[in-house]
Amino acid sequence: MDLPARIGKYELQEFLGGGMSHVYRAQDTVLGRTVAVKILTESGCKDAETKARFLQEARTAGGFAHDNIISVFDFGEDQGRPFIIMEFLRGQSLRDAIKTNSTGDTRNKLRLALQTARALEYIHSRRIIHRDIKPDNVHMDAQGRIKLMDFGIAKSHNVALTRVGFTLGTPYYMAPEQVLGQQVTPLVDVYAFGILMFELFTGRKPILGDSIEKVFQQILNEPLNLQPLRDANVPQPVIEMIERCTQKAPQARMQGFGAICVELERMLEEPPAPVATLETTGVAQTPYSSARISVPVTTVPQQEPLPGFMQYLPESLRTQEWFIGIVAVAVIVGMTIAVLILREIFRAF
């Protein structure tokens, strides 16, 4: 370690990674629990805005209390270096889960998306915009519980730390208005959530490019290609949600995570679609779990059994149509005989 092995009551035990800030697994020597300690580096401390942003992250995340958001226990400074004490998460990032194909079936992916949406609905209710939604900033534990994290560039309604002309965010997930350096609203998180869902369901980014210029060109001018979602057999309602979330014009997107959560919950409430089999359609179908999607099942109508006397007719006449015709003729003949008999009876009187 390049830092003292102890910060206050926290004993640093393992370096976990980082860039402008380093993250360590540590032990709270008073409470006896494992925590994560995030410490701003020396180079980060030299930049006033970076330091201010780090402290703002601590204050922002420290005010959250939600099952799907990482908990911040404490923050402060040690020898001039700011630090944040957070809950220690076991599991993997959503990015790694996607890479290893461990996000489960369609319904489980919907559960992961719903938890993420609930976390974003909560922070938006607190008038916070995350501005950096991506699989790397979503953590998934072994039980499939989601934790939203990394509020380093989150924007509060009453705090502005962005330099003029400086764009913040991860390029592949940035909304057009972020690329253009325009005023951001919570709808930038809606856009990024749509991109995240695309990646969750297909295993690939919808926007590709080997340079920032090409990535920004696609974001600003090229419609999102939804074909990979169809190729992956993603249910149509999910495709439609992704399409609505990623509209280039903010006013054309879904207007908040309240509506997104309602739709995701409705999809999960729908029972899995029936799977057609060779006996019903003559074509083998690939089963997969889905939500709000129907698989048509064709059934062969059963013939009603015919009376025994029909077996004496030629085979071509042993049909329901001929049976109905015979019955109709019999009824007419019977009624005619009945009328004649009644007529003769009346004449006798």
Side-chain angles (χ1 to χ4, degrees):
M1 292 183 183
D2 60 347
L3 289 175
R6 190 182 180 97
I7 291 184
K9 65 176 182 175
Y10 304 101
E11 182 180 297
L12 307 183
Q13 298 178 331
E14 180 186 2
F15 176 65
L16 301 177
M20 290 298 287
S21 57
H22 290 170
V23 181
Y24 296 84
R25 178 174 59 84
Q27 183 77 9
D28 184 329
T29 57
V30 175
L31 298 179
R33 66 180 174 185
T34 300
V35 296
V37 179
K38 187 175 185 179
I39 306 171
L40 191 63
T41 61
E42 286 187 11
S43 58
C45 289
K46 292 176 181 177
D47 183 271
E49 178 143 352
T50 299
K51 187 173 182 179
R53 195 174 299 285
F54 185 91
L55 294 173
Q56 180 60 30
E57 175 186 5
R59 297 187 188 98
T60 299
F64 295 152
H66 192 277
D67 288 342
N68 299 121
I69 298 177
I70 189 170
S71 297
V72 170
F73 302 135
D74 193 10
F75 66 93
E77 288 193 30
D78 183 82
Q79 300 180 25
R81 291 186 183 178
F83 65 87
I84 304 174
I85 309 299
M86 305 174 292
E87 67 174 308
F88 180 73
L89 300 177
R90 291 177 172 83
Q92 60 185 330
S93 70
L94 189 59
R95 167 78 63 214
D96 291 336
I98 291 171
K99 285 181 180 179
T100 58
N101 197 29
S102 54
T103 53
D105 60 12
T106 296
R107 294 182 71 79
N108 199 64
K109 289 181 174 72
L110 286 170
R111 293 185 189 100
L112 299 177
L114 176 58
Q115 292 180 70
T116 307
R118 284 172 175 164
L120 288 163
E121 180 186 25
Y122 175 81
I123 70 167
H124 285 185
S125 73
R126 305 292 296 270
R127 303 181 73 180
I128 301 293
I129 307 169
H130 191 284
R131 297 200 294 177
D132 198 20
I133 299 301
K134 57 184 178 181
D136 311 74
N137 288 339
V138 177
H139 189 275
M140 185 181 81
D141 67 15
Q143 289 71 46
R145 184 178 61 170
I146 287 296
K147 289 278 189 176
L148 183 64
M149 55 187 188
D150 201 339
F151 293 84
I153 65 170
K155 182 180 186 299
S156 172
H157 72 285
N158 58 1
V159 175
L161 291 172
T162 306
R163 297 185 183 97
V164 176
F166 187 65
T167 301
L168 290 175
T170 303
Y172 295 105
Y173 305 88
M174 289 171 62
E177 59 267 35
Q178 282 179 288
V179 172
L180 295 172
Q182 297 174 349
Q183 181 69 31
V184 299
T185 70
L187 295 176
V188 301
D189 286 345
V190 171
Y191 179 93
F193 177 78
I195 300 296
L196 180 146
M197 280 191 68
F198 187 108
E199 194 167 350
L200 174 62
F201 279 90
T202 65
R204 52 164 285 186
K205 295 183 181 73
I207 296 171
L208 304 173
D210 54 8
S211 69
I212 294 296
E213 290 76 14
K214 289 182 180 179
V215 170
F216 284 177
Q217 167 68 19
Q218 290 181 54
I219 292 172
L220 293 174
N221 301 310
E222 297 180 18
L224 200 68
N225 178 18
L226 301 175
Q227 189 57 45
L229 292 164
R230 301 186 185 99
D231 293 341
N233 291 328
V234 177
Q236 185 60 30
V238 178
I239 297 176
E240 291 173 359
M241 172 177 283
I242 292 171
E243 184 177 25
R244 284 182 290 155
C245 286
T246 56
Q247 291 295 306
K248 298 191 185 302
Q251 64 271 22
R253 295 175 202 149
M254 296 191 71
Q255 293 299 294
F257 282 97
I260 290 173
C261 288
V262 168
E263 287 207 18
L264 289 171
E265 288 165 357
R266 186 181 300 124
M267 292 179 197
L268 281 166
E269 287 170 0
E270 293 289 336
V275 178
T277 64
L278 184 61
E279 289 76 23
T280 56
T281 64
V283 179
Q285 301 290 326
T286 302
Y288 61 90
S289 181
S290 61
R292 293 188 66 191
I293 181 170
S294 300
V295 178
V297 178
T298 304
T299 58
V300 178
Q302 299 293 319
Q303 292 285 346
E304 293 293 332
L306 297 173
F309 74 85
M310 295 290 288
Q311 64 182 323
Y312 298 107
L313 297 176
E315 186 173 352
S316 61
L317 302 182
R318 298 176 197 168
T319 64
Q320 290 286 341
E321 290 79 6
W322 271 95
F323 173 68
I324 293 171
I326 292 172
V327 171
V329 170
V331 170
I332 293 172
V333 171
M335 291 179 64
T336 302
I337 293 173
V339 169
L340 292 175
I341 292 174
L342 289 172
R343 184 181 296 174
E344 291 300 323
I345 291 174
F346 284 125
R347 283 180 181 176
F349 289 100

